[in-house]
Amino acid sequence: MSKATTTKTTYQIPIGPIHPALKEPVFFEFELDGEKIIDVNVKLGHVHRGIEWASRNRNPIQILYLAERICGICSYCHPIAFSLAVESVADIQVPERAEYLRVIHGELERICSHILWAGVAAHEIGFDTVLYLTWQIRERTLDLTEYLTGNRVTKGITMIGGVRRDITQDMLPKIHETLKYLKDNFEKLRHILLDDKTVKMRTKGCGILTKEDALKLCAVGPLTRSSGVKKDVRVDSSYFAYGDLDINYTTPDILTGEVNGDVYDRIIVRLLEIKQSIDLIEQCLDKMPAGPIVAEPKIPKLLAQLKKVNGEGVGRHEAPRGEVIHYVKLDGVNDAPYTWKVRAPTYNNILPWIPMLKGEQIADIPIVAASTDPCMSCTNRVAIVKDGNKFEMNKEELHRLSVEKTRGLML
Amino acid sequence: MLPRAFAQMFKKPWTNKFPAKYTPSNTTRFLEKVQAGKVKINPPVETPPGFRGKIQYDKEKCIGCQLCLKVCPSEAIEFKPEDKKIKIYLARCTFCSQCNDICPVNCLSMSNEFLLADSNLYSKDLIVE
């Protein structure tokens, strides 16, 4: 009998674009050796909705509500980044009270988003009891959002040059009550997520992103902070009222004294940020000065002013998932902006998946992917499709275009 | 976690059982009974002050300036040139209340009515004029 010789080869499995384990469409191609992930390829572009195109026949005020619908969870940070961009073009000075109100709404959204994430992360490792607990806490935050803005999710609170609704004295008791409830429950949430044996076993040493990789791949938000990179738009560029508030970078070494960059560290960072947000809202309520809440209360006048403005501006805001950038160009002729470009935070947090997933097991894919808090519909912005063919701009092509443009300018 | 989960079992459920404690076998018949006064409906959670619900339109006050058409993000408002009044399609409305803010004579306001589900997008309940 001859000896059978077998050669060990790797095999590939595709996951997605539509898959029960994924909340939103994204396509993975895994190269596996047994259970171990050797290589990963990520493909995007399955939920492109042409939002920027839809802005072509809308004026800046209508775009505020269109921007709100880019993402359900970040329904405040997109319009606010857009209005920051428009304000920088039109040189609108936002009143001081509005700056504080904007911080309050931004931090309230961060609390909602991070609590939601904690629940989803627990769900991904099969800990559904925590999911229900976190959603119970989140419900109170949403009730407060509804009380302050009139809507639970799509808040409709942003206005170019300020906010639309004020916080009056009679609203304060309800806000303080909810903040107290959050503080009381924060300790319970911390105990469950950080001291629990199951959570520790699944998340410690899993999906590690080193500081070098985080810097190299331009990761943003809690993901990069959990790898020890001190990057936060709120601290780096003091927009809104953040300059007057006591705020610092949240890194996991505040709590544990060490930075590992694993999923466990990301839970720590997000939990600390919930605490930080509660603290920031309290600071705002204490320091908030009296005064107007919007720069130009007459909207027809504001629209006429924006129509005449010519120029381009960039708005940056620290969304719950990281830095969101909106670029706006107004041409001074049309109502609609000449260009509007959105860069959502998940766009930067996609590439870190590759070093994080390499060397992990198949069963770790959901929790590692969820640990960046991905939002696909935020991310998918541009797909170049012509006659059914898909064009991708690679580095060489871009370089060639750049050289051509330089030559064109020299003539 | 375990003590909390067990304690939860003896607490009142968070969910408000609206419109009835158990799903009626026939919704239409259930609603008919409610209207006849035979069954009591379980009330929904109260809306907070400043809630953005169905738009109320004061036709007498409206001067037909068309400013609301200019800011409506979903183009839900139609202008009727013959009598210089507006018509709002609630099926398209996003409940942002931007038209309320821009109206120079305050003829638009938000009510707290939110039960607006309908199978017909152009039904009488979903058009405000």
Side-chain angles (χ1 to χ4, degrees), chain B residues 56-76:
Chain B
Q56 303 280 305
Y57 175 46
D58 189 346
K59 205 173 174 181
E60 302 307 312
K61 266 191 189 173
C62 183
I63 52 169
C65 66
Q66 299 187 50
L67 279 173
C68 45
L69 271 78
K70 212 175 163 185
V71 288
C72 181
S74 55
E75 292 164 14

Side-chain angles (χ1 to χ4, degrees), chain B residues 47-98:
Chain B
T47 54
F51 179 77
R52 302 177 206 223
K54 187 179 176 179
I55 296 182
Q56 303 280 305
Y57 175 46
D58 189 346
K59 205 173 174 181
E60 302 307 312
K61 266 191 189 173
C62 183
I63 52 169
C65 66
Q66 299 187 50
L67 279 173
C68 45
L69 271 78
K70 212 175 163 185
V71 288
C72 181
S74 55
E75 292 164 14
I77 309 176
E78 189 185 56
F79 186 65
K80 294 188 290 184
E82 60 276 8
D83 52 353
K84 291 205 172 124
K85 301 287 169 190
I86 56 163
K87 191 176 183 184
I88 306 166
Y89 294 91
L90 286 183
R92 279 190 77 94
C93 179
T94 59
F95 302 93
C96 67
S97 79
Q98 189 67 60

Side-chain angles (χ1 to χ4, degrees), chain A residues 57-59 61-62 64-66 69 127 129-130 133 136-137 139-140 143 146-147 149-151 154-159 164-165 181 185 188 191-192 196 299-300 303 335, chain B residues 1-2 4-5 8 11-14 45-53 67-75 92-104 110:
Chain A
N57 50 8
R58 280 169 162 82
N59 62 41
I61 298 216
Q62 289 174 314
L64 285 177
Y65 302 98
L66 184 68
R69 280 151 184 85
F127 208 164
T129 327
V130 182
L133 178 74
Q136 193 184 28
I137 300 170
E139 187 62 33
R140 292 291 283 261
D143 282 350
E146 191 184 24
Y147 183 66
T149 67
N151 275 349
T154 43
K155 301 173 185 74
I157 193 80
T158 320
M159 178 44 62
R164 289 177 63 198
R165 286 191 180 184
Y181 173 84
N185 279 274
K188 285 171 193 159
H191 175 67
I192 290 164
D196 190 89
I299 299 160
L303 276 174
D335 273 341
Chain B
M1 187 70 225
L2 263 183
R4 212 185 144 94
Q8 192 66 43
K11 277 187 193 164
K12 199 173 160 260
W14 195 273
V45 180
E46 268 192 44
T47 54
F51 179 77
R52 302 177 206 223
L67 279 173
C68 45
L69 271 78
K70 212 175 163 185
V71 288
C72 181
S74 55
E75 292 164 14
R92 279 190 77 94
C93 179
T94 59
F95 302 93
C96 67
S97 79
Q98 189 67 60
C99 50
N100 296 202
D101 288 11
I102 203 168
C103 185
M110 301 306 256

